[in-house]
Amino acid sequence: MMARDDIEFGAVSVAQTPKCATPGTPCTPCGEGRSEEGFFAPVEIETGGLPNEGDFVERHEFSLPPADGGKDAWLFLAAVFVVDALVWGFPFSFGVFQNYYNSHAPFAGQPSIVVIGTSSMGVMYLTSPIIMGLCQMFGRWARWTPLLGLVIMSLSLALSSFATTTTHLILSQGILYGLGGGITYCPCIVYLGEWFVKRKGLAYGIMWSGTGLAGVVLPLLLQSLLSALGFRNTLRLWAGFLLVITAPLSFLIKPRLPPSATSHVRLFNLWFLVTPAFLVYQAANIIEATGFFLPGIYLPSYARSTLGAPSFSAASTILLVNVASVIGCVAMGFIIDRLHVTTCILLSTIGATVSVLVIWGLSSSLGLLYFFCITYGLFAGSFTSAWPGIMRDMTQKAQNNGKGSVDPNMVFGFLCAGRGVGNVVAGPLSESLMRGSLWKAETAAAYGYSSSYGSLIVFTGVTALLGGASFVWRRLGLI
């Protein structure tokens, strides 16, 4: 069987697989016949296969399902789309739960409710490099980790239904759910690079749009369930639904390339972590993340407390952000395969900054707030869909500087970790901003800046602006 962990594949069709990929045949010298496309480049491997297995390996190699198309590739993409939607859609809809917890016993008046939502997403982001590294090292077992993660998520929601304090919810609906979500989600990223090569950016955009699509349905569904059943029965019902729907899909989340016959520890090339380019990308990524999640958390309560919107209309703010992000993610996934990553980030930055500082800051009616939700979701929601461009830029820089091959999945993992840092910081920081708002009015607010959310709006807009720093650094020739 072909040793998957001993090969780094290029963005070439199976028919173009270099001779060194087949044990027992001469290896093409380094630098000859290599494709410059994609993230991976073929390297020499140890030959030493079993006697007379060359013919079998060659037949198996040419029987691999095609990349960038075909039934298996599209079924894989459909499965990770749904899993992404349900894994990330729930914490991205936490604003509905926060609104409920703030106004219902036994959590009304308790501190740190916002930390529940930020901790679940923060743990998923922060654990990404570790889980992806383990998936790469133990490829034979990674195939089954999505199912394990789904069980952990369902268990965490079931335990949350027995909570009586916000601390209980932070541990179960927050941290434990985030751990299960990371275990479920990371193999999707690892395998997506095998199934899609030339259309990698588009595939990422389609997968990530699942979160936005879930955000269209889940806020309304969860709001209705909370109103009718209360939080305990809602969490129990969702735990069962999550497991029943996603468990069969986990069997479609599988590698395209066969795992190695003997798994072994693999050293990763982390040279990119200390490069000026990645440090700029990561710093902008962290800063942008500290403000990105705040509208999704506070928009329902803002609409209800500042504009006097009823519960359904307040929950609709999250719906609009998420439905717009579906379009934004797919559009960004399309253009990231064609434009430089810093140009794509600039487009996201301009749209997000203007929408926050101009539209939300000056919103005085529910209609104008809805317009903000659409523009913010369209531009800010597409920011992470530019990550395939960062992954490509880092691998190309490593090759150009003679640093060897960089695993793009590890680039993705550390970008996730950076976003997790921003997400975790955002929770307690936003509570401080709400308590110390400089623009809090004595009477009913006429627009966003004069409400108790004024400092929050300014902070979100400034962090969105700083998220585009990589474009400036590239124009100055520093990256």
Side-chain angles (χ1 to χ4, degrees):
M1 183 177 290
M2 191 163 51
R4 176 180 178 270
D5 288 335
D6 292 338
I7 305 175
E8 297 188 27
F9 286 81
V12 294
S13 65
V14 173
Q16 294 173 303
T17 303
K19 292 181 180 180
C20 61
T22 305
T25 59
C27 185
T28 304
C30 291
E32 295 182 11
R34 290 191 177 184
S35 170
E36 296 296 328
E37 300 176 10
F39 294 140
F40 301 97
V43 297
E44 294 184 2
I45 65 170
E46 298 179 1
T47 57
L50 296 175
N52 301 321
E53 70 171 350
D55 293 339
F56 168 76
V57 173
E58 185 174 3
R59 288 195 302 271
H60 185 74
E61 177 186 349
F62 282 90
S63 68
L64 290 175
D68 295 302
K71 182 191 68 174
D72 292 320
W74 294 119
L75 284 176
F76 170 84
L77 187 59
V80 297
F81 172 87
V82 175
V83 169
D84 178 270
L86 297 179
V87 169
W88 289 95
F90 185 80
F92 267 99
S93 301
F94 179 74
V96 175
F97 275 95
Q98 180 179 340
N99 194 22
Y100 181 90
Y101 292 152
N102 278 325
S103 56
H104 291 76
F107 308 110
Q110 292 191 30
S112 304
I113 289 177
V114 67
V115 178
I116 303 168
T118 57
S119 61
S120 63
M121 287 188 288
V123 169
M124 278 196 276
Y125 282 126
L126 288 170
T127 57
S128 292
I130 299 173
I131 296 174
M132 284 188 179
L134 292 173
C135 287
Q136 296 282 58
M137 289 191 295
F138 305 105
R140 293 177 62 85
W141 302 105
R143 167 74 176 79
W144 306 107
T145 53
L147 186 59
L148 172 63
L150 291 169
V151 172
I152 294 175
M153 284 194 297
S154 298
L155 177 63
S156 72
L157 296 179
L159 292 174
S160 299
S161 68
F162 297 98
T164 56
T165 67
T166 54
T167 301
H168 297 159
L169 290 175
I170 291 171
L171 293 174
S172 54
Q173 190 176 349
I175 296 174
L176 186 59
Y177 181 94
L179 179 61
I183 294 173
T184 302
Y185 176 71
C186 287
C188 301
I189 299 297
V190 173
Y191 298 150
L192 188 140
E194 298 179 6
W195 286 103
F196 291 89
V197 180
K198 294 181 180 179
R199 298 178 179 177
K200 190 183 296 288
L202 180 60
Y204 274 112
I206 292 174
M207 181 182 68
W208 286 330
S209 69
T211 301
L213 186 60
V216 176
V217 179
L218 291 190
L220 300 179
L221 176 61
L222 293 173
Q223 181 66 53
S224 299
L225 291 174
L226 287 170
S227 300
L229 305 176
F231 86 96
R232 299 189 191 278
N233 289 329
T234 296
L235 288 172
R236 291 165 188 167
L237 180 63
W238 188 254
F241 174 83
L242 179 67
L243 187 61
V244 170
I245 294 298
T246 54
L249 294 176
S250 67
F251 293 95
L252 296 175
I253 303 174
K254 57 186 179 181
R256 173 176 169 266
L257 307 175
S260 63
T262 56
S263 299
H264 60 279
V265 175
R266 173 182 168 190
L267 297 178
F268 295 100
N269 184 355
L270 301 181
W271 166 85
F272 67 91
L273 290 176
V274 296
T275 61
F278 185 79
L279 292 175
V280 170
Y281 286 134
Q282 185 71 300
N285 178 46
I286 294 173
I287 293 172
E288 193 270 349
T290 59
F292 168 77
F293 299 98
L294 301 184
I297 295 173
Y298 286 98
L299 276 173
S301 58
Y302 173 85
R304 180 172 52 84
S305 62
T306 303
L307 302 179
S311 296
F312 181 84
S313 299
S316 298
T317 56
I318 301 179
L319 182 153
L320 292 174
V321 171
N322 289 325
V323 71
S325 71
V326 173
I327 302 172
C329 284
V330 175
M332 181 64 76
F334 178 79
I335 65 175
I336 195 64
D337 288 330
R338 292 161 175 78
L339 301 178
H340 192 273
V341 59
T342 55
T343 303
C344 296
I345 290 176
L346 178 66
L347 295 175
S348 173
T349 298
I350 292 174
T353 304
V354 171
S355 67
V356 174
L357 295 180
V358 178
I359 305 175
W360 190 12
L362 300 177
S363 64
S364 57
S365 65
L366 191 59
L368 194 57
L369 183 65
Y370 283 167
F371 179 59
F372 158 73
C373 294
I374 294 172
T375 55
Y376 186 78
L378 185 65
F379 290 99
S382 66
F383 185 87
T384 55
S385 290
W387 284 1
I390 299 178
M391 296 156 67
R392 180 171 60 244
D393 193 31
M394 289 297 96
T395 54
Q396 289 175 347
K397 279 181 167 57
Q399 293 174 1
N400 294 339
N401 287 278
K403 299 297 184 179
S405 296
V406 167
D407 188 341
N409 291 319
M410 296 308 297
V411 178
F412 179 92
F414 280 98
L415 288 173
C416 279
R419 200 158 183 81
V421 171
N423 179 267
V424 171
V425 170
L429 180 60
S430 65
E431 290 188 324
S432 299
L433 291 171
M434 290 295 294
R435 286 194 300 265
S437 180
L438 299 176
W439 290 276
K440 187 173 182 179
E442 297 296 331
T443 59
Y447 49 88
Y449 286 129
S450 64
S451 71
S452 60
Y453 296 81
S455 297
L456 193 79
I457 294 171
V458 172
F459 178 80
T460 302
V462 172
T463 54
L465 177 63
L466 295 177
S470 59
F471 178 83
V472 177
W473 280 69
R474 180 170 179 253
R475 296 292 294 178
L476 294 175
L478 300 177
I479 61 173

